[in-house]
Amino acid sequence: MLLRRPTLLFLQCRERPEFRLDDLLGGGSGVVRRDEWLALAPHLESEVVLEDSDVAVFSAVTPGQARSHAELSAEFGWERIDRLVAAGLLIGDHAGHADLRERERALGEVDWWGPAALAQIFGRWQGVDVAADPPRLGGERWQELMATQGAPPSETVELRPRSSWQSLPTATASAFDQLLQARTTCRNFAPGALPLQDLATVLHRVFGAQAAQTLAPQAVALKKNSPSGGGLHPIEAFVLAQRVEGLPPGLYHYQCVAHALEPMQGLDAEALAPMASELVAGQVWFADAPVLVLMAARFQRNFWKYCRHAKAWRVVQLDAGHLSQNFQLAATELGLGAFVTAAINDACAERLFELDGLSTGAIAVCGLGRRAADTTTIEFDPLGKAVR
Ligand SMILES: Cc1cc2nc3c(=O)[nH]c(=O)nc-3n(C[C@H](O)[C@H](O)[C@H](O)COP(=O)(O)O)c2cc1C
């Protein structure tokens, strides 16, 4: 068997507290701090704890030049080599590593900047349910957080004395202010169905191509209603439609130039409900929205221009932010409630919408529908402008 090192491999040194009885009996606290090395490789989905001296193996074998199992075993011991092969940190040419080789190839093809690949893949969630694991959502209410975290950093910063500040004229109120102020994250959806016209309007305004221009043979730039790094618009909209008048429930892909929904799987409401819940990691206040829209990035569309670029992944995340604000404004303008969440089970998104997670990966989920008359789950509407 021939073995090589993965192309992208990061090592992290982490301090780990360990309980030691001998330390306690010897008069110590019983807690001994020990360093451990972790291997973080984006072709794997989780970190691997290394043993002392494993790191030396990675210096002895490169991604481009494979060495034989026998040769490496003679140098480092077969137990160590077999363990690193089993962990996927040494990639073999045998059948058992076919999937790993394929993931590595896909990673290389997408021109990832290494740390971004790590952030995208290690930030994935699988099977997270925030009801069972509330801290995953990022803590509890502010009052509860204060008990453990103390006060948050102040809401504004003052860099120079107030006496030096230049005051500004009051902004002239317009209908745009009304729209902006009415936008409030909706966590209480009414049970009814959404008119297809409303869904179509939001999709077109947010994700739809307003124009298409051929810049060179096979190079088409789309004009959309939000800015996009490099003008590449790599984010696709995938629709989980639970209750839309005149649209069979199911999973769809939005065709942004044709302004059409491409059916991926027809499913009844009973089958869709648990999928919606899993997608938004058990956030019940979002799962029952009539429509969820997954924003998933075709990374290579952006990386084609920003090849292995340190800013490229950030740009893709920013694109999603612009889209989500437009999504909420477009819904608000129709008198609907909307939200965005990044607390999603990426693995579920990939399964539902046939994404490989490497060339096309989930970023966030938006949702929309009519607001319920009553607020059961907390919303933040101090201006009282949300339309119910
Ligand atoms: C990127 C992003 C992720 C968010 N994720 C969640 C989430 O997982 N769950 C949730 O209930 N709200 C989520 N929110 C909504 C925020 O909690 C909300 O925007 C914030 O409290 C301010 O309220 P407002 O949107 O009504 O002004 C998210 C917002 C953003 C921008």
Side-chain angles (χ1 to χ4, degrees):
M1 189 200 308
L2 287 173
L3 299 172
R4 59 181 180 81
R5 195 178 78 204
T7 315
L8 290 176
L9 174 64
F10 297 83
L11 299 175
Q12 182 190 346
C13 188
R14 182 170 69 184
E15 194 182 52
R16 194 165 58 87
E18 238 178 37
F19 175 71
R20 290 269 294 274
L21 187 60
D22 53 344
D23 181 76
L24 191 67
L25 295 175
S29 66
V31 179
V32 175
R33 296 191 177 273
R34 203 173 88 77
D35 274 348
E36 67 182 5
W37 282 94
L38 304 175
L40 305 161
H43 73 291
L44 304 175
E45 283 170 14
S46 45
E47 62 192 32
V48 179
V49 179
L50 296 176
E51 291 188 5
D52 291 345
S53 313
D54 279 354
V55 173
V57 179
F58 301 128
S59 316
V61 57
T62 70
Q65 234 178 351
R67 289 181 65 188
S68 75
H69 182 278
E71 203 184 335
L72 285 169
S73 297
E75 205 171 323
F76 297 100
W78 63 265
E79 282 129 326
R80 186 186 303 281
I81 298 302
D82 282 358
R83 182 167 42 74
L84 293 175
V85 171
L89 290 172
L90 287 176
I91 301 179
D93 58 356
H94 58 301
H97 271 187
D99 285 354
L100 282 188
R101 287 197 300 276
E102 175 51 27
R103 276 181 69 79
E104 263 254 297
R105 191 200 55 76
L107 261 174
E109 226 167 53
V110 184
D111 292 316
W112 279 99
W113 179 57
L118 210 57
Q120 177 67 26
I121 288 157
F122 279 71
R124 283 172 82 254
W125 277 3
Q126 174 161 10
V128 172
D129 183 343
V130 297
D133 187 6
R136 287 284 201 138
L137 205 49
E140 292 301 303
R141 299 202 175 156
W142 285 39
Q143 289 82 349
E144 290 152 20
L145 271 175
M146 300 276 290
T148 52
Q149 305 287 95
S154 61
E155 68 282 14
T156 59
V157 283
E158 298 188 7
L159 305 176
R160 296 287 183 274
R162 285 185 179 213
S163 57
S164 70
W165 295 3
Q166 164 75 55
S167 54
L168 295 170
T170 311
T172 310
S174 76
F176 189 46
D177 292 295
Q178 302 286 328
L179 177 63
L180 290 169
Q181 290 172 4
R183 185 214 59 81
T184 288
T185 295
C186 179
R187 296 193 184 86
N188 299 276
F189 287 97
L194 184 73
L196 180 60
Q197 183 62 56
D198 285 355
L199 174 60
T201 301
V202 170
L203 288 175
H204 189 254
R205 289 185 174 155
V206 180
F207 300 104
Q210 308 298 316
Q213 199 168 320
T214 302
L215 303 180
Q218 295 186 312
V220 177
L222 300 177
K223 176 72 182 169
K224 297 195 182 179
N225 285 338
S226 56
S228 172
L232 291 154
H233 292 289
I235 295 192
E236 297 290 320
F238 292 90
V239 176
L240 188 156
Q242 304 200 85
R243 301 184 307 281
V244 182
E245 287 162 11
L247 181 72
L251 307 175
Y252 297 86
H253 169 235
Y254 178 61
Q255 280 294 349
C256 71
V257 174
H259 182 51
L261 285 173
E262 189 176 3
M264 294 183 73
Q265 202 183 344
L267 291 155
D268 60 27
E270 288 68 44
L272 280 167
M275 292 175 180
S277 173
E278 187 188 351
L279 184 61
V280 295
Q283 298 183 77
V284 288
W285 50 93
F286 290 156
D288 67 349
V291 173
L292 301 179
V293 178
L294 168 75
M295 293 190 285
R298 283 194 300 143
F299 293 108
Q300 187 56 23
R301 170 85 180 164
N302 177 288
F303 300 171
W304 166 78
K305 179 170 181 183
Y306 299 111
C307 187
R308 301 199 170 98
H309 198 296
K311 299 289 184 192
W313 187 70
R314 188 188 296 190
V315 161
V316 174
Q317 310 297 315
L318 287 168
D319 276 17
H322 295 122
L323 290 163
S324 89
Q325 170 73 352
N326 273 3
F327 186 94
Q328 294 185 47
L329 291 180
T332 305
E333 201 259 348
L334 293 173
L336 301 169
F339 69 84
V340 62
T341 175
I344 61 170
N345 278 310
D346 308 58
C348 172
E350 291 160 14
R351 199 180 67 240
L352 297 184
F353 295 109
E354 302 164 21
L355 320 174
D356 67 1
L358 296 175
S359 62
T360 307
I363 307 287
V365 168
C366 295
L368 85 164
R370 197 156 296 286
R371 283 179 188 274
D374 300 321
T375 308
T376 312
T377 305
I378 193 166
E379 293 178 357
F380 185 56
D381 185 21
L383 299 169
K385 297 249 171 124
V387 182
R388 299 213 96 85

